[in-house]
């Protein structure tokens, strides 16, 4: 079974630009979560999607957005990039079912490393 | 966002020594998970604990969930260089409804010297 695939793996942008990151979950997983990892703030939850609906959201500004497609693939977008957005963006998929309160095991992708200059 | 403290933040050990990291919460949790991230890698799931006082073992790793379900620990016996990495606890702090919203602890970075 293929793992979680994230593209691109590395990218460099300048302040003010926008970026779109892509994530293909493990086949059959309908829950996709996004995390931002930085040395200073650690792993921070961005949002979670399930069956094309945003189910949970973290405390990030509106410049951070995401969506999920009918095939469970997900994208996240960051607009008007700031230097502080430089980070490793991790996508994770889970077999968690809709409405389940018990969080399931997360399978992470390799991440997309974004550098903002 | 909410941060969950893990202690210690860093730990350097000699190969063969034991290692323990602690994760403390002010609120009761339904479950807690542990992940390991190797340098340059991504977090990899190790285990999930659900029951009060639960103890689970994976070879040299022992995981414990506190009786009050507010704290957890990971103990590694006789560390090896392959244990190098950052260990994170993760739990549904701040989750008010259904779904997957895991909050990760600050992590403990383990370095093992020969």
């Amino acid at each position: 079974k293929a793992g979680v695939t994230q593209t691109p793996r590395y990218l460099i942008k300048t302040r003010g630009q926008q970026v779109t990151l892509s994530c293909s979950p493990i086949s059959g997983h309908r829950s996709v979560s996004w995390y931002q990892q930085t040395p200073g703030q650690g792993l921070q939850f961005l949002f979670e999607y399930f069956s094309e609906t945003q189910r949970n959201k973290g405390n990030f500004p509106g410049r951070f957005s995401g969506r999920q497609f009918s095939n469970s693939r997900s994208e996240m977008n960051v607009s008007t990039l700031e230097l502080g957005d430089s980070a490793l963006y991790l996508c994770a998929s889970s077999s968690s079912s809709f409405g389940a309160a018990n969080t399931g095991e997360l399978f992470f992708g390799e991440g997309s490393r974004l550098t903002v200059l | 966002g909410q941060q969950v403290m893990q202690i210690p933040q860093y730990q350097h050990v000699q190969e063969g020594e034991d290692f323990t990291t602690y994760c403390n919460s002010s609120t009761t949790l339904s479950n807690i998970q542990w992940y390991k991230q190797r340098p340059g890698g991504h977090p990899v799931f190790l285990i999930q604990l659900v029951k009060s006082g639960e103890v689970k073992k994976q070879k040299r790793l022992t995981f414990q969930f506190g009786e009050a379900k507010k704290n957890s620990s990971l103990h590694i016996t006789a560390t090896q260089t392959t244990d190098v990495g950052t260990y994170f606890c993760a739990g549904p702090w701040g989750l008010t409804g259904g779904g997957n919203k895991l909050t990760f602890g600050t992590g403990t970075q383990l370095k093992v010297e020969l």
Side-chain angles (χ1 to χ4, degrees):
Chain A
K1 207 178 217 184
V4 177
T5 304
Q6 291 188 245
T7 56
R9 291 289 313 281
Y10 303 91
L11 65 168
I12 300 173
K13 294 285 186 179
T14 57
R15 278 182 299 174
Q17 287 187 310
Q18 74 162 9
V19 66
T20 299
L21 309 177
S22 179
C23 172
S24 293
I26 290 173
S27 178
H29 285 188
R30 295 163 67 187
S31 168
V32 174
S33 302
W34 288 89
Y35 288 81
Q36 180 197 64
Q37 187 173 32
T38 60
Q41 296 298 314
L43 273 161
Q44 299 279 314
F45 174 81
L46 281 157
F47 25 65
E48 183 222 359
Y49 288 87
F50 185 96
S51 292
E52 302 177 69
T53 301
Q54 187 180 83
R55 194 158 64 165
N56 283 289
K57 190 176 189 305
N59 297 322
F60 279 81
R63 300 186 296 108
F64 293 81
S65 62
R67 58 177 176 169
Q68 187 180 32
F69 303 95
S70 59
N71 62 358
S72 292
R73 189 177 71 85
S74 177
E75 287 181 348
M76 68 162 283
N77 184 77
V78 188
S79 62
T80 320
L81 285 166
E82 300 176 359
L83 295 178
D85 297 332
S86 294
L88 179 66
Y89 289 89
L90 291 160
C91 168
S93 75
S94 170
S95 59
S96 166
S97 57
F98 187 78
N102 195 28
T103 50
E105 172 185 354
L106 296 182
F107 295 84
F108 283 88
E110 303 270 359
S112 293
R113 185 166 294 281
L114 170 66
T115 301
V116 182
L117 302 176
Chain B
Q2 184 169 12
Q3 277 203 323
V4 178
M5 294 305 296
Q6 281 182 247
I7 52 172
Q9 189 176 2
Y10 302 99
Q11 185 86 59
H12 290 202
V13 299
Q14 295 288 321
E15 189 177 42
E17 292 181 338
D18 291 356
F19 159 77
T20 304
T21 174
Y22 300 90
C23 180
N24 296 310
S25 169
S26 59
T27 57
T28 301
L29 299 171
S30 60
N31 69 89
I32 196 163
Q33 299 180 18
W34 285 90
Y35 290 78
K36 175 185 178 182
Q37 185 173 21
R38 294 181 188 275
H42 57 277
V44 174
F45 174 82
L46 293 176
I47 209 159
Q48 181 175 26
L49 304 171
V50 179
K51 299 177 183 176
S52 168
E54 187 170 20
V55 178
K56 286 189 175 180
K57 294 189 176 184
Q58 290 179 351
K59 298 182 180 178
R60 295 178 295 103
L61 277 61
T62 302
F63 303 84
Q64 189 163 8
F65 202 8
E67 292 289 342
K69 301 181 77 173
K70 287 185 175 182
N71 55 70
S72 183
S73 64
L74 157 59
H75 178 81
I76 302 178
T77 303
T79 55
Q80 300 175 357
T81 54
T82 53
D83 297 324
V84 166
T86 301
Y87 293 84
F88 295 95
C89 63
W93 287 279
L95 178 63
T96 55
N100 267 334
K101 182 184 175 184
L102 275 184
T103 296
F104 280 76
T106 49
T108 296
Q109 186 177 347
L110 173 64
K111 292 190 176 181
V112 180
E113 299 171 358
L114 292 171

